Structures are given as C-alpha cells and as structure tokens.
Amino acid sequence: MPPPTPTARACAVIGCKRPHRSQGYCAAHYQKRRLMVATGRLHSAWAEDAAPHSIPEVIL
C-alpha cells in the first residue's frame, strides 16, 4: 500500500488561496511577515504556526 499523500494546508491569512510554505503562511505572506518583523510593525495577530485562514490581512 502506498504512503498517504500529504494534504496541502492553506495559508493562515483569511481569503488567501495559496498553500502554506513556512510558519503557516504562503511564500508571499511569509515575506510580508518578515518585513513587518524587520521594521517593528508586526501585527499582534500574525503569530507563528497560525491555523489556516485565521489571520486578518494587514495593509502596510
């Protein structure tokens, strides 16, 4: 019997249809999160390993 295929987990940002890549975020939102951390503007809701579709979008 073949091993089960992993299911694609969705990005943590509400409304994003891309699969997660790192820490619960898709590649684009992960880069946005890194930018917010680097500039000291990280929104309190943007936690690491967030559940799919649980984080509001933030406009920088």
Side-chain angles (χ1 to χ4, degrees):
M1 185 163 77
T5 57
T7 57
R9 183 174 150 193
C11 178
V13 177
I14 297 169
C16 183
K17 296 179 176 160
R18 294 175 287 229
H20 99 289
R21 182 168 183 112
S22 182
Q23 296 183 5
Y25 300 93
C26 67
H29 286 114
Y30 178 69
Q31 289 302 320
K32 186 174 187 176
R33 184 181 188 283
R34 288 184 65 208
L35 176 66
M36 287 191 292
V37 168
T39 59
R41 300 183 290 170
L42 182 62
H43 191 275
S44 62
W46 283 55
E48 291 184 13
D49 297 321
H53 301 291
S54 64
I55 306 294
E57 178 64 85
V58 174
I59 305 299
L60 296 179

